Amino acid sequence: MGELSPRQKHILRLAERQGFVTIDSLSEDFGVSAQTVRRDIIALSEAGLLQRFHGGAGPIGESEAVRLDHEHKAGVAVEEKRRIAEAAAALINDGTSLFIDVGTTMEMTAKALNTRRGLKVFTTSIRAALAFDASRHEVRVLGGRVAGRDGSLVGEEVVLALSGMQLDLALIACSGVDVEGRVMDFSLSKITVKQAAMRAASRTFLLATPSKFGRSALATVARVGDFTEVIDGVAPSVASQVR
Amino acid sequence: MGELSPRQKHILRLAERQGFVTIDSLSEDFGVSAQTVRRDIIALSEAGLLQRFHGGAGPIGESEAVRLDHEHKAGVAVEEKRRIAEAAAALINDGTSLFIDVGTTMEMTAKALNTRRGLKVFTTSIRAALAFDASRHEVRVLGGRVAGRDGSLVGEEVVLALSGMQLDLALIACSGVDVEGRVMDFSLSKITVKQAAMRAASRTFLLATPSKFGRSALATVARVGDFTEVIDGVAPSVASQVR
DNA sequence: GTGGTAATGTAAGTTTTCTTACATCGGACT
DNA sequence: AGTCCGATGTAAGAAAACTTACATTACCAC
C-alpha cells in the first residue's frame, strides 16, 4: 500500500487544495479514461486518504486521520483476516439483520460489508461501528460499558438489549478453539455478550483464523457444532469441519 | 434573487467549511427531503454561490478551501480546541459523573480527562469513547443509531436512556452561537440528544471556540444563559458573559 | 520470442442521482 | 371561508455514474 503513483499523489493534492475533485475533470486533466481515474480514487479511498462520493472525491476529515493511525498498527495476520472477512461477506445478503462481535477480523468484515447495503447492523464493537458506512446501512451500537482499548462494549445493558432481539445472523469471534471443539475466550464479560448474541440470532457464524484452532482460553463460549458455519478463510466455508 | 433562506445560508457555510457537502447528509441533518435540499443547492448554484456535482455541492472558489487548509495545517483550530479541552478538564473533579457530546473538541477533552480518574462517563460519541482510558474511568456508550462519519449516536434510545439519568455534568458542543445568545446546531437529531443530556445534568458546560460566536445554524439547542459555564478557551471561564 | 504482470481502455448492465410533474400543506390576502 | 402562492413531499422516467468483466497495451523476465 506504500506505493502511490505520481498521478495518485497529484489527485490527492488537488483534492486537498480544492476541497473536492470530480472524475470528469481529472479524467480530462490527466488525459486518461474516467475508469482509470476511478481506479485511482478507489485505491486512495481504500488507503483512507480520500473520501469517495458520486462523481468524485474529497479530502478526508481531520477526525478521520486519527483513525488511520490505529488501523495500520493492527497488522497481525491481516491477509488471513481479510480472507475471512471476504468469505463471510459473501454469505450475507442485502437487508440481513445481524450482530457483529468485537475484534479486528470483525472490523475488516464490517468494511467488506460496505459492498452490501440495507443491512441492519447491531454491534458491541465501537471500531466495527466506525468501519461501517452509515449511509449504506442502519448501524446501531448497543449501549454498554467500554471494556478496553479494543473498543468493546460489555455489561448487563448489552445482554438485556440482545435478549429482546430476533436477528437473522450473529458473527462471532473468539480467542481460541481447543482440540475438543470448544470455542473459548479470555474475557468472561465478552463471553456473556457472545452467548446472548447467539441466542438472539437464528444463524451463527464463527470467524476464526486457522491459528486459533488448537488453542484454549479461559472459558467456553459454545461448541463448534453450535455454529451454523465456521469460517477460517481456508477451507470452503462448510459448517463444522471440526468436531 | 437576493433572498436566501436560512437553510440555504447554512448550506453555503457548511460547504465552505467542509469543502463539500452531500445531499444525503444535508437531508438528514436538516430533516427535510433530498429533493428540498437539491432545490436549495440549485438555487445557490444558479446564484453563483455554489458549485453543484452529482450527489452534493462544493464552494465555488478555491481561495476559501485554501484558507481552511492552511488553518488546519497551521493547527490554529487544534490549538484553540486544546485550550478549551484543558480549561474544561481543569473544572472537573475525580469521580464526577458526566455526559460528553460529539465533536473533535470533545475528543480532545476526553484525552485531557485521562489525567483524572474514577470518572463516570456517558457519551454518544464513539470517537470520544475511544479517546478515554477505560482503565482509569468507567466509560459507557449510550446505544443508538450511528449518524455519520463523526461517529455520533442519535435516536430515540439515546434520549430515552438520558431521560432516566441524573448526572453531575454535561459537556456540550455546538455549531454556532448567534448574536442573540442562542446556541445552535445543524443537525436536528443531535440537538435532541444535547437537550436531553442538559436536562439530565445538574451542571452544564458549553465548549465552543471563539469562531463559533456570532454564527447561527439550523436550530436552537438552548440559550447561552442556560449553561453553568461557557468555555471558549480565551476568557477565564466564568459563567454567562453573554446574556 | 514467449509468458507473465500491471496498467489502461472499452463495453454491458446495474445502481444512484437527477429531472420533471404533480399532490399536499399552510400561511397571506380579499 | 375562499383563493392564491410558496415551500415541500412523492413518484416515474431520464441521465449520470458505478461495477464487473474482458480486451489491449507495454514492459520485464526468462
Side-chain angles (χ1 to χ4, degrees):
Chain A
M1 168 181 314
E3 314 291 321
L4 284 187
S5 77
R7 194 179 52 228
Q8 288 173 332
K9 281 184 203 151
H10 198 163
I11 290 176
L12 208 49
R13 278 222 329 267
L14 276 177
E16 276 166 6
R17 223 182 65 198
Q18 305 186 352
F20 68 91
V21 287
T22 65
I23 304 252
D24 271 353
S25 67
L26 289 174
S27 153
E28 182 155 335
D29 287 354
F30 290 107
V32 296
S33 75
Q35 189 63 348
T36 297
V37 173
R38 198 168 285 123
R39 280 191 265 246
D40 283 339
I41 287 181
I42 289 172
L44 290 168
S45 78
E46 277 177 355
L49 301 168
L50 219 54
Q51 181 182 348
R52 284 188 82 184
F53 54 78
H54 241 75
I60 210 118
E62 38 180 318
S63 52
E64 232 73 10
V66 180
R67 178 176 59 84
L68 294 171
D69 274 348
H70 171 83
E71 278 181 7
H72 285 209
K73 287 193 294 193
V76 186
V78 175
E79 229 5 90
E80 278 181 345
K81 286 175 181 171
R82 201 204 321 274
R83 264 205 304 281
I84 293 177
E86 296 292 344
L91 296 173
I92 297 172
N93 298 319
D94 290 359
T96 302
S97 66
L98 61 90
F99 169 86
I100 190 160
D101 201 3
V102 178
T104 50
T105 304
M106 293 304 176
E107 290 159 30
M108 288 191 184
T109 307
K111 272 189 193 161
L113 284 171
N114 283 334
T115 57
R116 298 281 173 285
R117 116 200 121 147
L119 299 177
K120 294 177 189 62
V121 180
F122 295 81
T123 185
T124 49
S125 163
I126 320 193
R127 295 188 189 280
L130 282 173
F132 276 106
D133 179 346
S135 66
R136 290 181 84 88
H137 309 297
E138 185 183 320
V139 183
R140 283 174 184 275
V141 172
L142 301 174
R145 187 169 54 82
V146 179
R149 291 207 50 80
D150 60 358
S152 60
L153 300 173
V154 299
E156 237 176 79
E157 305 125 279
V158 177
V159 177
L160 204 65
L162 279 169
S163 72
M165 285 186 187
Q166 180 53 53
L167 302 174
D168 295 335
L169 179 62
L171 302 180
I172 306 291
C174 67
S175 301
V177 180
D178 77 1
V179 288
E180 316 264 341
R182 281 191 289 254
V183 178
M184 309 189 77
D185 202 279
F186 285 112
S187 162
L188 291 177
S189 52
K190 285 182 195 169
I191 287 176
T192 311
V193 172
K194 290 175 206 289
Q195 288 171 337
M198 290 180 69
R199 278 195 300 274
S202 35
R203 293 189 304 155
T204 54
F205 291 0
L206 175 66
L207 276 61
T209 55
S211 61
K212 295 273 170 74
F213 290 86
R215 298 165 90 179
S216 83
L218 178 64
T220 301
V221 177
R223 307 201 47 94
V224 170
D226 296 334
F227 289 86
T228 317
E229 294 276 349
V230 177
I231 301 173
D232 65 3
V234 179
S237 65
V238 185
S240 29
Q241 297 112 311
V242 188
R243 138 180 3 263
Chain B
M1 87 186 172
E3 314 295 322
L4 282 186
S5 76
R7 194 180 52 227
Q8 288 173 333
K9 282 186 203 148
H10 300 146
I11 290 175
L12 207 49
R13 280 242 325 271
L14 277 177
E16 280 170 0
R17 218 177 67 192
Q18 305 184 353
F20 67 90
V21 288
T22 64
I23 305 250
D24 269 356
S25 66
L26 290 175
S27 155
E28 168 148 352
D29 285 355
F30 287 56
V32 296
S33 76
Q35 188 65 349
T36 296
V37 173
R38 199 169 285 123
R39 280 190 265 249
D40 283 339
I41 287 181
I42 289 172
L44 290 168
S45 78
E46 279 177 353
L49 299 169
L50 218 55
Q51 180 178 345
R52 286 187 81 185
F53 55 78
H54 243 76
I60 202 84
E62 13 188 302
S63 52
E64 194 74 7
V66 171
R67 182 182 61 75
L68 288 171
D69 192 39
H70 283 326
E71 261 184 22
H72 284 153
K73 292 254 158 68
V76 171
V78 174
E79 213 25 74
E80 278 180 346
K81 286 173 183 171
R82 200 202 328 275
R83 264 206 306 279
I84 292 177
E86 295 295 345
L91 297 174
I92 297 171
N93 298 320
D94 290 359
T96 302
S97 67
L98 60 91
F99 170 85
I100 190 160
D101 201 2
V102 178
T104 50
T105 305
M106 293 303 174
E107 290 159 31
M108 289 191 184
T109 306
K111 277 188 193 151
L113 285 171
N114 283 334
T115 56
R116 299 281 174 285
R117 58 170 54 250
L119 298 178
K120 294 179 188 63
V121 179
F122 295 82
T123 184
T124 50
S125 164
I126 305 190
R127 296 185 187 281
L130 282 172
F132 274 107
D133 179 347
S135 65
R136 295 181 79 89
H137 309 295
E138 184 183 322
V139 182
R140 282 174 185 275
V141 171
L142 302 174
R145 185 171 57 84
V146 179
R149 288 181 300 109
D150 60 359
S152 59
L153 301 173
V154 299
E156 241 176 75
E157 305 126 277
V158 177
V159 177
L160 206 64
L162 279 169
S163 72
M165 288 187 184
Q166 181 53 52
L167 304 173
D168 295 335
L169 179 62
L171 302 181
I172 306 291
C174 67
S175 300
V177 180
D178 77 1
V179 288
E180 315 264 341
R182 282 191 288 255
V183 178
M184 308 187 78
D185 201 277
F186 283 113
S187 167
L188 293 176
S189 49
K190 287 180 196 166
I191 287 175
T192 311
V193 172
K194 290 175 206 291
Q195 289 172 335
M198 290 180 69
R199 278 195 300 273
S202 35
R203 291 189 304 153
T204 54
F205 291 0
L206 175 66
L207 276 62
T209 56
S211 62
K212 295 272 171 73
F213 290 86
R215 300 166 91 178
S216 81
L218 176 65
T220 302
V221 177
R223 307 200 46 94
V224 170
D226 297 334
F227 289 86
T228 316
E229 293 276 349
V230 176
I231 302 173
D232 64 4
V234 180
S237 65
V238 185
S240 31
Q241 297 110 312
V242 188
R243 84 213 122 265

